Amino acid sequence: MNIDDSKNIMNDDSIPSINCKSFDAFIVDYIDDNLTDEERMVFIRHLTECAPCKKYLDDYQNSIALSQMALSDDEEKAQKEIPEQLVNAILAARKSVT
Amino acid sequence: MDLSRKIDIIDLPEDQLIEKLKNGDPASFEHIVRKYGSYILTITKRYLGSEADAHDAVQDTYIQAFRAINNFEGRSSLKSWLHRIAVNASLMKLRTHKRRPIDLIDDTPSLFDSNGKRIETDAEITLSIEELAIDNSQRELVKQKINTLPETAKNLLLLRDIEGYSTAEVSELLDISISSVKTGLHRARQALKKKLETQQC
């Protein structure tokens, strides 16, 4: 959403105003892009009017991104070979179920 | 397995490898154990923490895959299919440990005043994506924070934010309602955010 859109939303009295607690209940669906057009307008209106919620949402999304980055090298590390002992255990278990 | 046979299997396109697996070919089974085993171990370790439990879950994954291969329709890659079985096997292992099945965070301190207005704090996340990208110790720090979350909260974060499962899929995997997934995920993210904020570097 660009600045002009945000200004339009702020000046549009037909868009209901919500408090921070109600805003909070929308966050998961906002991130999943699961809000209806109307809910999204209400959400954005609050976001443009409330600096603490804007900061909260920025940190919330940053926290998700940090967790994704922290675990992103797992697969790279998985290029190492599987322990031979575990391979043998799996092959033996397979034989026992055939 | 003799070397020439091993090379033959490595070179097989996935659909032919799957056919061999469906025919019960032991060499093909060993090939997928060696090819994806380390990756699967990484997944099971995320959920289970303990090395021994993670190994058991890898073994369970392959045995379940062996039993179910004839039902595999190839709509996803073999690796994605094994990944999903590994997540299930890990969650099953957590259940058999008789840990609390649902321990959603329900004691989050209120973030709002009596009028529903957000209470402002000075807390800040000082870690950055750029730092994490180059600093392994910072990545380990965030992993440790994730690991200190209550079990279900951690699983919700892993399933939704890391593995990319949908809310409906997570609901099915954890056997909890869609609204519990959403509420639990929100609280888990809030809890992680708070843990990351308190780590002022």
Side-chain angles (χ1 to χ4, degrees), chain A residues 24 32 60 68 75 80, chain B residues 34 38 79 160-161 186:
Chain A
D24 209 73
D32 284 350
Y60 185 98
Q68 289 168 338
E75 203 169 328
K80 290 184 292 183
Chain B
R34 292 187 185 281
S38 181
K79 186 180 177 183
R160 283 290 275 104
D161 291 342
H186 187 48

Side-chain angles (χ1 to χ4, degrees), chain B residues 1 3-13 17 31 35:
Chain B
M1 201 192 310
L3 191 60
S4 60
R5 180 142 166 63
K6 203 170 178 176
I7 291 168
D8 285 348
I9 292 171
I10 290 170
D11 289 341
L12 277 182
L17 176 65
H31 172 64
K35 185 172 183 185

Side-chain angles (χ1 to χ4, degrees), chain A residues 55 59, chain B residues 119-126 197 200:
Chain A
K55 180 185 178 298
D59 285 350
Chain B
I119 299 165
E120 289 189 65
T121 69
D122 293 334
E124 247 183 294
I125 298 178
T126 53
E197 281 170 350
Q200 302 284 339

Side-chain angles (χ1 to χ4, degrees), chain A residues 11-13 17-19 22 27 37 44 47 49 51 53 67 70 72 77 82 89 95 97:
Chain A
N11 295 329
D12 188 344
D13 289 339
S17 188
I18 52 170
N19 67 14
S22 302
I27 291 178
D37 288 349
I44 299 291
L47 197 59
E49 290 172 344
C53 280
S67 65
S72 65
K77 285 182 184 166
I82 179 172
K95 270 187 191 161
V97 296

Side-chain angles (χ1 to χ4, degrees), chain A residues 19-25 27-29 31-32 34 50 52-53 55-57 59-60 62-75 77-91 93-95 97-98, chain B residues 24 26 29-30 33-34 37-39 41-42 46 55 58-59 62-63 66-67 79 111-112 115-118 120 123-125 127-129 132-133 136 139-140 142-143 146 158 160-162 167 182 185-186 189-190 192-193 196-197:
Chain A
N19 67 14
C20 305
K21 197 170 181 178
S22 302
F23 169 89
D24 209 73
I27 291 178
V28 170
D29 282 330
I31 289 175
D32 284 350
N34 270 340
C50 180
C53 280
K55 180 185 178 298
Y56 184 86
L57 185 64
D59 285 350
Y60 185 98
N62 188 27
S63 160
I64 296 171
L66 288 169
S67 65
Q68 289 168 338
M69 175 59 84
L71 290 159
S72 65
D73 62 345
D74 276 8
E75 203 169 328
K77 285 182 184 166
Q79 299 306 319
K80 290 184 292 183
E81 285 187 4
I82 179 172
E84 199 58 33
Q85 192 189 355
L86 180 54
V87 173
N88 292 335
I90 295 167
L91 298 180
R94 177 196 172 274
K95 270 187 191 161
V97 296
T98 49
Chain B
F29 183 78
E30 181 173 343
V33 171
R34 292 187 185 281
S38 181
Y39 171 74
L41 181 58
T42 306
R46 275 183 189 164
H55 279 217
V58 173
Q59 189 168 317
Y62 277 103
I63 295 308
F66 173 70
R67 287 184 166 137
K79 186 180 177 183
L111 302 169
F112 311 99
N115 296 318
K117 192 164 172 50
R118 190 175 298 281
E120 289 189 65
E124 247 183 294
I125 298 178
L127 294 165
S128 73
I129 296 288
L132 252 69
N136 188 43
R139 289 198 294 276
E140 287 304 318
V142 176
K143 278 186 207 176
I146 295 171
L158 290 177
R160 283 290 275 104
D161 291 342
I162 309 299
T167 300
K182 287 185 183 181
L185 176 66
H186 187 48
R189 285 171 172 169
Q190 285 176 329
L192 179 64
K193 174 178 165 297
L196 295 174
E197 281 170 350

